[in-house]
Amino acid sequence: MKIKVGFGFDVHQLKDNHPFFVGGVNLEHHKGAFGHSDADVLLHAVCDALLGAANLRDIGFHFKNTDPQWKGISSIVLLKETVKLIREKGWEIGNIDAMLCLEAPKINPHIPQMQENIAKAIAISIEDISIKATTNEQMGFIGREEGVVAYAVCLIQKG
């Protein structure tokens, strides 16, 4: 059996009175992530981890932020397309481990729904998806609630 590990990172600016999608969940908050798609920082980091593990470049290569096809699109769609690309190369997903870094809102109550959304989108068990969250202890652009960051690692396998 061949296995590979991938790492993903994403960051989005937070803006007042903007929707805030994380892990396919629309969070109630006075600020939200801004981007070409729905700016779901968690799903973008997961996509980059999966694409990197399969040596398929990155999310921006496949889903350009200048392409009107992807304007405002749900990142669940981008995740499904990403999984299709890696499965076309014969890879299956072993697990995903992700970390969100933001000051607010609290993420813990939403983690089960995020895990369910990801599991459903990529057809793996919720048990194989770990999502954690931390703050930046009020330091830097994260601490000032100017942006949100996500990191993800994954394992893919074939044979």
Side-chain angles (χ1 to χ4, degrees):
M1 174 185 300
K2 185 168 187 169
I3 63 170
K4 288 188 173 187
V5 174
F7 171 75
F9 165 83
D10 197 38
V11 61
H12 280 279
Q13 183 180 18
L14 293 176
K15 292 192 173 191
D16 287 328
N17 304 311
H18 200 76
F20 198 4
F21 287 94
V22 179
V25 175
N26 189 359
L27 302 176
E28 292 290 328
H29 195 55
H30 67 280
K31 288 187 174 188
F34 180 77
H36 185 70
S37 66
D38 65 1
D40 190 322
V41 68
L42 175 63
L43 296 184
H44 293 181
V46 169
C47 288
D48 266 343
L50 292 167
L51 290 166
N55 195 22
L56 289 170
R57 304 203 44 186
D58 61 34
I59 192 171
F61 179 80
H62 294 279
F63 313 109
K64 294 182 180 11
N65 66 4
T66 55
D67 188 338
Q69 174 183 1
W70 310 118
K71 178 76 175 156
I73 198 161
S74 167
S75 294
I76 291 287
V77 173
L78 302 181
L79 179 59
K80 288 178 180 179
E81 290 296 313
T82 295
V83 171
K84 182 179 169 188
L85 289 169
I86 70 164
R87 287 190 172 137
E88 285 172 357
K89 286 190 74 174
W91 295 101
E92 286 300 324
I93 300 162
N95 76 302
I96 294 167
D97 184 22
M99 172 68 78
L100 287 158
C101 190
L102 70 167
E103 294 299 319
K106 294 295 182 191
I107 297 300
N108 275 334
H110 306 285
I111 288 175
Q113 184 63 57
M114 292 175 187
Q115 289 173 298
E116 186 176 319
N117 292 346
I118 295 169
K120 183 178 177 186
I122 62 179
I124 68 172
S125 171
I126 288 174
E127 295 297 316
D128 294 325
I129 301 164
S130 171
I131 300 170
K132 304 168 302 296
T134 189
T135 68
N136 216 42
E137 299 294 332
Q138 300 180 338
M139 296 182 292
F141 72 90
I142 295 168
R144 291 186 302 270
E145 293 190 51
E146 296 170 358
V148 58
V149 169
Y151 304 91
V153 293
C154 71
L155 180 131
I156 61 174
Q157 56 202 11
K158 71 162 86 167

